[in-house]
Amino acid sequence: MPFEINRVTIEPDGFKVTFTKPVDQLTGRSMDSYVISAFTHPYHAGYGGPEIEKHKPGVKAVSLAEDGLSAKITLEKLDRGFVYELDLASLRSRDKEELLHRNAFYTVNEIPSR
């Protein structure tokens, strides 16, 4: 099985990412391994449109599960209506594999309460 992002779910203050293989402790606990950016699109009747209001919400904390199969990413700011791109190129599995696909996208429609 390749080292992949299995799932991204929203948390009240960020995201939880699960993986197909355990993440290496060194890269998995480093906030620098989680590069997050956000953008939205202008609201209109037609399909598509340019990316606007681009910004990089700061990563406030990262918590790697003991088994290495998930990481909780706490952001400084999380906004409804934005698409969040997670670029996890620096992560490695415990057997030093790179992610087969390093990017994930999540559109925030609702933010769960605590």
Side-chain angles (χ1 to χ4, degrees), residues 34-89:
Y34 303 86
V35 179
I36 314 292
S37 58
F39 61 88
T40 190
H41 295 280
Y43 184 76
H44 59 84
Y47 179 78
E51 295 176 0
I52 60 171
E53 297 184 50
K54 294 179 186 181
H55 65 281
K56 291 191 178 285
V59 176
K60 199 165 147 181
V62 172
S63 175
L64 185 64
E66 198 165 309
D67 65 4
L69 289 172
S70 67
K72 169 122 174 25
I73 307 163
T74 303
L75 300 179
E76 291 177 357
K77 187 177 182 185
L78 189 62
D79 293 308
R80 284 182 43 204
F82 280 79
V83 177
Y84 285 78
E85 178 181 4
L86 290 73
D87 184 348
L88 310 181

Side-chain angles (χ1 to χ4, degrees), residues 84-98:
Y84 285 78
E85 178 181 4
L86 290 73
D87 184 348
L88 310 181
S90 296
L91 289 180
R92 298 293 178 266
S93 68
R94 287 188 183 160
D95 52 358
K96 306 302 179 206
E97 281 182 79
E98 295 181 11

